[in-house]
Amino acid sequence: MRTKRFSKKGMWINILLFLLAVIFLVPFYICIVTAFKTPAETAVSTWSLPKGLDLSNFAEAMEKSNFLQSFGNSIFITVVSTLGIVLFSAMMAYSICRNQESRLYRMFGSALFIGIMIPFQVIMIPVYKMFKNMGLLNTYQGIIILMIGTSLPYASYLVMGFIKSIPVALEDAARIDGCNIWQTFWKIVFPLLKPITSTVGILHVLWMWNEFNMSFIVLQKEAMRTLPIQQYHFFGQFTINLNLGFASACLSMIPVIIFFLFAQKLLISGITNGAVKG
């Protein structure tokens, strides 16, 4: 009787998981199918398969979206921002965790929660005015500083949970051997953070690559636009080109999908080794 109850429960869980998988996969299906269709085929039916594999949408999308330049912008901004997030979050988390007796550092730790809770839309207008006055609009420096600054609270919170599990005795032994605080961090602590820094890095590569709001505010010139911003311009107020827009979306998905396929084992390993603790 108990076995039947568990098997029935397992059946409903599998059905629920299947439905969730369908919900998540439907947008990908529509995107890929529409990218190969002509406008006439798209007008007839959104769900039907294309009559042929026409690659003209991809070629035209690459030309109109200045794909190679936008791709280079996305690569550069994503890589530099992610490296900054990984390094600065590790240093910030270490400083807060190892100085809990200081009221100032405890206040910084509490401020991380505030940073996580405040959405970017709340500070969007002040950030735009500040960046305009500082001359940071349409610059790599501006968007990288903004991406790192808005991502540090969450990334630092993740790293703090992992640092708390590292024995302080290791650092004491390093100091006895003559290491200063910087040598102790970079030679002893930071290598032990590989599981969490890998997790933080992978998550933020995925987020930075698809980031839209901050790039839309800061990068207004066409030469500085990233791939998500270029895709947005296929959907105007009076004209919408679904076929070119979805073709451009498919092209921009390829690099991040390839990255995730190679990095998923490292991500899973970081999580299972206690990367997300707090």
Side-chain angles (χ1 to χ4, degrees):
M1 193 73 178
R2 191 174 181 182
T3 305
K4 289 182 179 179
R5 193 191 320 148
F6 278 113
S7 61
K8 190 175 181 180
K9 181 180 178 181
M11 180 187 70
W12 285 110
I13 292 175
N14 290 331
I15 292 174
L16 178 61
L17 292 175
F18 175 78
L19 292 175
L20 289 174
V22 170
I23 292 172
F24 280 104
L25 290 175
V26 163
F28 288 98
Y29 170 79
I30 294 175
C31 178
I32 295 171
V33 168
T34 306
F36 286 100
K37 285 182 178 180
T38 63
E41 290 175 330
T42 304
V44 172
S45 174
T46 305
W47 301 94
S48 62
L49 293 171
K51 295 179 180 178
L53 297 179
D54 186 6
L55 299 178
S56 60
N57 287 334
F58 293 91
E60 189 175 352
M62 290 183 67
E63 181 181 354
K64 289 189 175 182
S65 66
N66 201 3
F67 182 81
L68 293 179
Q69 186 174 45
S70 301
F71 180 80
N73 290 339
S74 291
I75 286 286
F76 180 77
I77 292 171
T78 298
V79 170
V80 176
S81 299
T82 302
L83 288 176
I85 291 166
V86 169
L87 294 177
F88 293 139
S89 64
M91 290 188 286
M92 180 184 292
Y94 178 72
S95 299
I96 293 173
C97 286
R98 293 300 187 254
N99 292 280
Q100 285 296 301
E101 69 280 357
S102 170
R103 181 181 298 179
L104 178 63
Y105 282 94
R106 290 200 303 271
M107 184 179 68
F108 287 154
S110 300
L112 292 179
F113 293 98
I114 300 175
I116 293 173
M117 291 185 292
I118 296 177
F120 175 72
Q121 288 77 6
V122 174
I123 62 172
M124 185 166 57
I125 295 176
V127 165
Y128 175 79
K129 291 183 177 180
M130 181 176 66
F131 274 43
K132 184 178 180 180
N133 294 332
M134 297 175 66
L136 292 175
L137 294 180
N138 297 304
T139 63
Y140 289 123
Q141 302 97 300
I143 188 62
I144 290 171
I145 290 172
L146 185 57
M147 285 187 171
I148 292 176
T150 53
S151 300
L152 274 180
Y154 177 70
S156 300
Y157 176 70
L158 292 180
V159 181
M160 282 175 60
F162 196 89
I163 289 179
K164 290 176 182 178
S165 67
I166 298 177
V168 181
L170 293 175
E171 301 165 44
D172 294 336
R175 294 192 183 96
I176 292 173
D177 290 338
C179 292
N180 58 34
I181 185 66
W182 286 99
Q183 292 172 328
T184 301
F185 176 74
W186 291 112
K187 294 182 178 181
I188 305 299
V189 178
F190 192 73
L192 296 175
L193 298 179
K194 182 180 178 181
I196 185 59
T197 53
S198 300
T199 302
V200 169
I202 294 168
L203 290 176
H204 282 85
V205 164
L206 301 177
W207 292 341
M208 297 296 106
W209 184 265
N210 296 309
E211 198 285 320
F212 179 83
N213 289 329
M214 289 182 281
S215 299
F216 187 71
I217 293 296
V218 178
L219 305 177
Q220 299 172 351
K221 291 183 179 179
E222 186 173 0
M224 297 297 299
R225 290 173 185 166
T226 56
L227 287 175
I229 304 302
Q230 288 289 26
Q231 292 168 29
Y232 169 76
H233 289 276
F234 286 112
F235 304 89
Q237 183 178 359
F238 302 106
T239 59
I240 297 177
N241 197 322
L242 292 175
N243 303 95
L244 297 186
F246 281 123
S248 178
C250 288
L251 290 172
S252 66
M253 282 192 296
I254 292 174
V256 75
I257 290 174
I258 293 174
F259 170 79
F260 181 76
L261 291 176
F262 282 100
Q264 62 176 332
K265 290 185 178 179
L266 198 58
L267 176 63
I268 295 171
S269 174
I271 294 175
T272 55
N273 284 331
V276 186
K277 296 193 296 184

